[in-house]
Amino acid sequence: MGTLVGHVAPGAGFMLIGLWHLFSHIKLHALNPTSYTAPTWFPTSKFKYLELLLIMAASIASISMELFIGPNRHQPFDPDGTIPSNHLHNFEHSSISLTFLLYAAFALLLDRIPTPSKRPLTQLLGSIAFAQQLLLFHLHSADHNGPEGQYHLMLQLLIFLSFSTTLMGIPMPKSFLLSFVRSLTIFFQGLWLIVMGFMLWTPGLIPKGCFINDEDGHQVVRCNDHQSLHRAVSLVNILFSWFVVGVTVFGIAFYLGLVKLYGEKVRYFALGNEEEEDTDKENDDVESQKIVGKPMSFIPVGKNFSPLDIER
């Protein structure tokens, strides 16, 4: 994962899943605002388990890349069967992918075998996957003291939000806000991973006073002095704050657009028809009372009287 492609590829996966969930939760809530219950995953119209199978395929590809394709000699162990120090991060990244693989596999199995606790158990599996991701990024074996460490610190904040909202969704399945925040943070995770890949492994984007250094077969960003390091870390903080603003604007605009597309037309037509019917009834009552001069309940149905008839 310590390469540009190693960050962009999983980042694109998280972005797609987050965007899919964001779209699906907003659409479901707009169509059913009173009876909304958040599912853990969303079936597609043509193939029900497409989302889960894509997660499984991406996780298997990530594990294969980390353990059997990326390392030298195409296997992660030393000749004596031990794990070398420069491959520790490969096992950490593959363990994260393994947890997401188990989540998707068990989610599919729980859907195929109907159980009364299907939804909360699937939600629990999702929270365990995020907890594993947070734990291994927090206790990462790689040296993250420089700008790379600051990028990972911001990533851990996003993972914590995904984990906490997923866990809180077990007792509160009808909370749209939890589903909205969770989907947006998953999307943000993917976006931030892509940003990390370009900012840490593109020489032209390295901050002034810092450089890419090859250490034990891995390229890491180092800075010449403390002032350059402090500037690089501050730039990461500023960049993250800008992305917070941008993702927030995107999330609210995306919500407003989908609500206008799926929600307002249905609700406002219903309210408009009811109001028109009520207005017509009130107008009929007023006109009838003007003609007869008495309440409608006292007028025989099917007979019309004019003031001249009444005098006669």
Side-chain angles (χ1 to χ4, degrees), residues 7-21:
H7 282 76
V8 172
F14 275 101
M15 273 190 69
L16 288 175
I17 292 296
L19 190 61
W20 166 245
H21 276 221

Side-chain angles (χ1 to χ4, degrees), residues 106-123:
F106 277 117
L108 193 153
L109 185 63
L110 286 169
D111 188 74
R112 298 287 294 178
I113 304 174
T115 58
S117 301
K118 176 178 68 174
R119 199 207 70 83
L121 282 176
T122 306
Q123 197 86 357

